[in-house]
Amino acid sequence: MLFYLSQYLQEKAADTAWADKLGSLRLFHYITFRSAGAAITALLLSWWLGPRIIAWLKELKFGQQYADKAEETGGMTARVLNKRGTPTMGGILIVLAMDLSALLWTQLNELVVLTLLSLVVLAGLGFYDDYAKITRQTNLGAKSHVKLIVQAVLAVFIAIYLWLLPSTSKLVTEVMVPFYKYPILTGSAGAGIILIALTIVGSSNAVNLTDGLDGLAIGCTLIVTLVFLVMTYVASNIKIANYLQIPYVAGAGELTVFCAAMFGAGLGFLWFNCHPAQVFMGDTGSLALGGALGIMAVLIHQPFVLLIAGGVFVAEAVSVVIQTGWFKYTKRRYGIGQRVFLMAPLHHHFEKKGWYESQVVTRFYILCVLCAVVALSSLKIR
């Protein structure tokens, strides 16, 4: 909105005495300036809206009064402080700050619209899941197959849309991998659609599974967002993209502004979500943030970079798959289910081993930074 307003004012002031005075509005043409503005705006909005939304959620009694899965198992030494009653659905704050900031500072194009669409749809799905948990006062919200169907339909829609659009069809028909300069597969729309669907659905659920400790999911999301802030900017600059031999994506610079808004909103939410948390993001936030990361990875032709940058998310998701699969297999084979981890997702395993909540969160941050560095190294090592 601000970009279009600045452009309108400059056009109106052309060849008038105001032309020189409004010359500074040219700053709105720079992605770096608008990214900084988006980040600061989202952060300030989060700080301003945060106390109001938290108070509103408390008034509606949208708090977690039920025992979560970690509490039900018992023996969680890092859960001495009772979190009952802490409001959830804090993802509303993140999504609202992101959307408002992005609409203010981005120049809308297909890439931004698709990202905003995925954010809103997945936030709505997460809200439905959180609302079901609160009204039933149980950790069982929406049916898992319902969530997967909605996520899959959204992902396939985005994939087919990109395929049918001439300017973005290569995002579907060519498959790129990190550390290699050429596509490993070309001309296969079917494989591309499957990969895009797996990226968006997998990322959304992986962040959702990571959301279990104060500040864990949002902190790791901030680190991965910084990676994609760099990646989107590089992909949008044809000279830098050609030099680094990565796919150039026209219009991807606006995703840089979106990433900045996401980073600012995430920082603002972390202010209230750090231990001891005043609010939980809930599925409203985790499903939306994960989906946004997935769609951005797809839109810059780097889905496998997300696999590296989001290594912590991947580990959390894989731990659940391994735990569930092995338990079912051993129960069917031997009559008694066996576990690989003390508890899944992975962060609860380390809680069971006696790590304090703050230790788990901080150490996972360190691992996430390591994954981010490796992901960024793929820009040069090819």
Side-chain angles (χ1 to χ4, degrees):
M1 184 183 298
L2 293 177
F3 171 82
Y4 297 111
L5 178 61
S6 67
Q7 196 172 41
Y8 172 78
L9 291 175
Q10 282 182 294
E11 289 176 356
K12 287 296 182 181
D15 301 323
T16 69
W18 287 91
D20 290 337
K21 295 179 181 180
L22 296 178
S24 58
L25 292 178
R26 289 193 297 270
L27 286 171
F28 285 91
H29 290 269
Y30 292 95
I31 290 171
T32 49
F33 175 77
R34 288 189 286 117
S35 295
I40 294 171
T41 301
L43 176 60
L44 294 177
L45 277 172
S46 297
W47 280 345
W48 181 67
L49 290 172
R52 292 162 175 78
I53 289 179
I54 292 171
W56 176 62
L57 291 172
K58 286 182 177 179
E59 185 181 342
L60 294 176
K61 297 183 179 179
F62 281 0
Q64 182 175 310
Q65 301 292 347
Y66 55 88
D68 61 22
K69 293 180 181 179
E71 291 171 319
E72 287 177 348
T73 59
M76 304 298 285
T77 56
R79 293 190 179 273
V80 178
L81 295 176
N82 195 334
K83 298 183 180 182
R84 299 277 182 92
T86 303
T88 186
M89 293 190 186
I92 294 172
L93 171 61
I94 307 173
V95 173
L96 189 58
M98 284 173 63
D99 280 347
L100 291 175
S101 184
L103 290 172
L104 273 174
W105 292 95
T106 58
Q107 182 181 356
L108 292 178
N109 59 24
E110 292 91 348
L111 307 183
V112 175
V113 171
L114 285 175
T115 308
L116 287 172
L117 172 66
S118 66
L119 184 74
V120 172
V121 171
L122 293 173
L125 176 62
F127 182 89
Y128 169 71
D129 189 38
D130 286 334
Y131 186 77
K133 291 177 183 177
I134 292 168
T135 53
R136 299 170 189 169
Q137 283 303 305
T138 174
N139 55 45
L140 299 175
K143 298 293 185 182
S144 57
H145 70 272
V146 173
K147 292 194 287 186
L148 284 174
I149 289 173
V150 174
Q151 291 169 320
V153 169
L154 172 67
V156 171
F157 165 77
I158 290 172
I160 293 176
Y161 180 86
L162 293 173
W163 178 40
L164 296 177
L165 203 65
S167 60
T168 58
S169 60
K170 284 187 177 181
L171 298 177
V172 182
T173 58
E174 295 182 356
V175 177
M176 301 291 297
V177 296
F179 308 108
Y180 192 67
K181 65 182 72 174
Y182 304 112
I184 61 168
L185 184 65
T186 59
S188 178
I193 290 172
I194 293 172
L195 177 60
I196 289 173
L198 288 174
T199 300
I200 297 173
V201 174
S203 177
S204 180
N205 286 302
V207 175
N208 180 237
L209 291 170
T210 306
D211 183 30
L213 302 179
D214 294 349
L216 177 58
I218 191 61
C220 292
T221 299
L222 286 170
I223 295 168
V224 179
T225 301
L226 280 178
V227 172
F228 279 93
L229 189 146
V230 174
M231 297 291 291
T232 51
Y233 182 78
V234 169
S236 70
N237 190 302
I238 191 168
K239 292 182 179 179
I240 300 177
N242 288 339
Y243 171 72
L244 295 174
Q245 297 181 312
I246 65 171
Y248 164 70
V249 181
E254 298 308 317
L255 292 179
T256 307
V257 183
F258 181 88
C259 279
M262 187 168 170
F263 185 77
L267 273 182
F269 180 77
L270 184 59
W271 184 274
F272 304 103
N273 186 238
C274 61
H275 185 73
Q278 296 174 252
V279 64
F280 301 140
M281 72 165 68
D283 289 3
T284 307
S286 58
L287 290 178
L289 291 175
L293 289 174
I295 182 63
M296 283 191 291
V298 165
L299 292 176
I300 61 169
H301 222 155
Q302 300 289 353
F304 288 102
V305 169
L306 178 59
L307 202 65
I308 300 172
V312 169
F313 298 140
V314 174
E316 295 273 30
V318 169
S319 70
V320 173
V321 173
I322 292 174
Q323 185 89 318
T324 305
W326 183 249
F327 185 86
K328 289 182 178 180
Y329 170 76
T330 53
K331 187 174 184 179
R332 186 171 59 251
R333 182 76 180 272
Y334 306 110
I336 300 176
Q338 300 176 8
R339 292 177 172 84
V340 177
F341 304 100
L342 296 177
M343 188 177 177
L346 194 58
H347 55 264
H348 290 319
H349 169 78
F350 290 105
E351 276 196 294
K352 285 277 194 177
K353 289 178 71 69
W355 290 18
Y356 291 106
E357 184 171 3
S358 58
Q359 285 180 304
V360 178
V361 173
T362 303
R363 289 169 179 173
F364 274 42
Y365 282 176
I366 294 169
L367 292 174
C368 197
V369 169
L370 176 62
C371 292
V373 171
V374 174
L376 287 174
S377 71
S378 69
L379 287 172
K380 189 61 179 174
I381 305 173
R382 306 185 74 80

